[in-house]
Amino acid sequence: MAEPLEQTGLARLMARGAGRPEIVMAVVDGPVALGHPELAGAHLRVLPGDAGDQGGQGDNPCRPTGDDASCRHGTYVVGLLGACRTSRPPGICPGCTFLLRPIFAAGRGTGRPAALALPVTPAARPEDLAAAIVECVDAGARVLNLSVAPDRPSSTDHRGLEWALDHAANRGVITIVAAGNQGAVGTSVLTRHPWTVPVVAYDRRGRPMNLSNLGGSIGARGLGAPGEGVVGLGLGVDGRPLAVTGTSAAAPFVAGAVALLLSAFPAAPPADVRSALLLTAVGPRRTVVPPFLDAWAAYTALARSGNALLPHGNRPLKNPESPC
């Protein structure tokens, strides 16, 4: 059974480097334990938003030894992307810069606080998501990870959120969204937008999980990624890793691939990077189930298309003062 980084082709891409600090990844999620030792070498910037200054670390501190559900989810997602390469598992793109926009304050549960090993995708109000997206785009994000989702698939439009997604598209910000864990066939404003890349969860055998939402737009423009018991950074005194199942765990694999591709091909238009990521060898998509992520195939597609590879630009971290 292949490990998630091997399954997705990310291991080969990660071997070429850790990403570049010029590539800014925005993560809209819960607050992050900025003092977590496995994030010590990460480039982290916080947009206060509505969750309070410093990622909710004011009156409701988000600490590495805490056990708050919002903090656990936010720290877990950022850890998959930005944890030290010496961590287990290693961060996908720790050399990039992370723009953290808390949308859930510390102390506000994201579901079942004691059961993040179960499928939990935090739900957010569309107006809050819209504001967070616009702020991240205006702050210079190149990639946006939304491991959040509406409560259920819906055909109802939300103009503010649609406008925010249009704003990201017009700026070329590649937007990765979790498809949601209701096990339904349908779409939401996030997965329906023509620019977003919806992500469904696949199990360890490489099969779509029944919990993932599916739909026409998800099958046509989405990707699958590991989503069963994905291990990442945990909180608490014991510091044990956290295993999460669901689409919020799957989305960072795709977002991390985008960040490494942009690092390797800094002159490539965002539309080309997105197209390479979605390229499959099976021809036109005619199913509600998207294909599995192949990050290395996207890399080779960009290289073959004439995009200039930056020599030694996407290099591993070698900062002697950093544990990463």
Side-chain angles (χ1 to χ4, degrees), residues 73 78 88 96 143 192 202 221 261:
H73 197 275
V78 171
R88 290 293 176 266
C96 295
V143 190
R192 206 166 43 242
Y202 272 56
R221 296 180 284 94
L261 292 171

Side-chain angles (χ1 to χ4, degrees), residues 8 31 41 121 219 271 285:
T8 55
T121 300
R285 300 187 186 187

Side-chain angles (χ1 to χ4, degrees), residues 81-93:
L81 296 161
C84 300
R85 281 287 175 85
T86 55
S87 299
R88 290 293 176 266
I92 296 171
C93 51

Side-chain angles (χ1 to χ4, degrees), residues 206-274:
R207 303 174 302 187
M209 298 185 70
N210 291 335
L211 62 84
S212 292
N213 294 340
L214 302 172
S217 59
I218 297 171
R221 296 180 284 94
L223 288 168
E228 181 184 4
V230 178
V231 176
L233 298 187
L235 298 182
V237 177
D238 57 10
R240 288 183 299 175
L242 185 66
V244 174
T245 290
T247 59
S248 62
F253 287 98
V254 179
V258 171
L260 291 180
L261 292 171
L262 289 171
S263 295
F265 301 96
D272 286 4
V273 174
R274 181 177 175 277

Side-chain angles (χ1 to χ4, degrees), residues 51-63 68 71 105-107:
D53 290 338
Q54 293 301 305
Q57 308 212 67
D59 295 335
N60 295 302
C62 182
R63 297 192 179 97
D68 178 83
C71 290

Side-chain angles (χ1 to χ4, degrees), residues 2 7 20 45 59 139 152 166 178 218 228 244 261 275 286 314-315:
Q7 281 182 305
R20 297 175 59 82
R45 292 166 47 196
D59 295 335
R152 61 188 62 84
D166 287 342
I218 297 171
E228 181 184 4
V244 174
L261 292 171
S275 294
R286 297 188 177 91
N314 184 31
R315 57 188 180 275

